[in-house]
Amino acid sequence: MILKASPDNTLPPPRVGIALGAGSARGLAHLGVLKALNELDIYPDVVCGTSMGALVGAVYCTGRGEELASWVGALTPREILHYMEIRLRPQGGMAVAGRLMTYLRSTFGDHTIEELAPAFAAVATDLYRGRETWLQKGPLWDAVRASIAIPGMLTPVQLQNRWLVDGALVNPVPVSLCRAMGANVIIAVNVNSDLLGRRDPTPAVDPRSAEPTPAEAEALAQEQLAAASAEAGDVATEEAVGPSLFDRIGASLRGASAPMLNFWNGDERPALAPGTFNVMATALTVMQDRITRSRLAGEPPDVVIAPRLGHIGLLEFNRGAEAIDAGYASVMRMRDVIEHALDR
């Protein structure tokens, strides 16, 4: 006897969700992942992101991911500092990223989350309650800004009477959010899978990373100091606080700028002890790695894409083109697995 499937048993096409994980500069690999999936004729119905995954996912949902890739590919370390908008503030973090958000709104449109297609959501963390927060409605770039607010680096965002910070503290790769939004085939992208213990301490340096020079870095620090003091309002005149305060702040900024730029440029040399910024960045990586492993074990996706990005530092946005290429290659390596999950 030959058994034949009844036409009534045909299944509807799967509702595909993609969970774009946190990873700062490494998160730019998501652009390559999405490009490769589209080339395979795979278009997600649901896009969820945490931190940099939220930023990339938001731009993708506006239909202009290629423009973001081109812009990122031309960034220099000095421009990164400009968009981060470092300010001397006692509250929340050392950067506000106001120029970055202005650029995103003016370039990609001032959208609300509800009007996007495919469906989009971002993950943030309620700072004082310690709870995972799903941002599924309201101004798009406010949600993105909350999701990327790395503690100590970017200031928190106040939304709906809550102070929100980086979603990577609670859900670095938001598979659960994809499933809650109706996806039944979920592709997760973990851009931090090969970081710990594997990074080359002296990676190749992009030719553009020679800029800014130490003199330029000092000048930039002085510019940021002047802007911060002008905005603060509580430091009216130099005489009010005495020159020693400005000298100490300026010296501190100049001392901090070189290690930060070296870290971005991949130029950091072995030292007797790691620098403050290196400790903070590595600690965030360790924490995020452990949380990711736990969440993916408890909420397994159908496919995990893991680009090889151990050579790219937390804030090396000037190496975005490398990250994008790595994301594209990782999808092509997993092509058969992806198509099997989609039952093609």
Side-chain angles (χ1 to χ4, degrees), residues 85-91 94 96 99 219-243 245-247 249-250 253:
E85 201 173 356
I86 296 172
R87 290 286 182 264
L88 294 176
R89 298 176 185 270
Q91 299 92 4
M94 64 181 182
V96 296
R99 294 189 184 107
L220 181 60
Q222 291 172 345
E223 291 172 12
Q224 300 287 6
L225 174 60
S229 61
E231 288 184 2
D234 56 347
V235 184
T237 63
E238 184 172 345
E239 290 77 12
V241 294
L245 175 60
F246 285 94
D247 291 343
I249 295 175
L253 265 178

Side-chain angles (χ1 to χ4, degrees), residues 56-215:
V56 171
V59 173
Y60 174 78
C61 289
T62 69
R64 301 170 69 179
E66 291 290 340
E67 292 179 47
L68 179 64
S70 299
W71 177 68
V72 165
L75 281 177
T76 67
R78 185 178 180 87
E79 289 171 331
I80 294 167
L81 286 174
H82 170 80
Y83 283 107
M84 292 287 286
E85 201 173 356
I86 296 172
R87 290 286 182 264
L88 294 176
R89 298 176 185 270
Q91 299 92 4
M94 64 181 182
V96 296
R99 294 189 184 107
L100 173 62
M101 305 318 295
T102 298
Y103 171 82
L104 293 173
R105 284 189 178 92
S106 62
T107 304
F108 303 107
D110 198 5
H111 300 279
T112 62
I113 295 175
E114 297 94 320
E115 68 189 57
L116 296 179
F120 173 78
V123 178
T125 302
D126 187 323
L127 180 62
Y128 291 112
R129 294 177 178 86
R131 295 176 182 171
E132 181 175 343
T133 302
W134 293 351
L135 302 172
Q136 299 175 267
K137 60 178 63 176
L140 175 62
W141 304 114
D142 288 353
V144 169
R145 177 60 178 82
S147 188
I148 66 173
I150 301 174
M153 296 179 64
L154 285 177
T155 53
V157 173
Q158 188 176 28
L159 288 178
Q160 302 171 356
N161 295 319
R162 295 172 295 174
W163 284 102
L164 302 179
V165 294
D166 196 336
L169 297 178
V170 288
N171 195 354
V173 184
V175 173
S176 56
L177 179 51
C178 274
R179 186 163 285 117
M181 292 178 66
N184 51 25
V185 174
I186 299 174
I187 301 170
V189 186
N190 179 14
V191 297
N192 295 319
S193 63
D194 69 337
L195 299 183
L196 296 178
R198 300 188 186 183
R199 189 180 178 194
D200 183 351
T202 56
V205 179
D206 188 300
R208 292 171 299 189
S209 67
E211 297 181 346
T213 65

Side-chain angles (χ1 to χ4, degrees), residues 262-285:
N262 286 341
F263 185 82
W264 278 324
N265 296 340
D267 288 343
E268 194 169 45
R269 296 292 185 264
L272 295 177
T276 300
F277 188 77
N278 198 350
V279 168
M280 184 170 65
T282 304
L284 286 170
T285 298

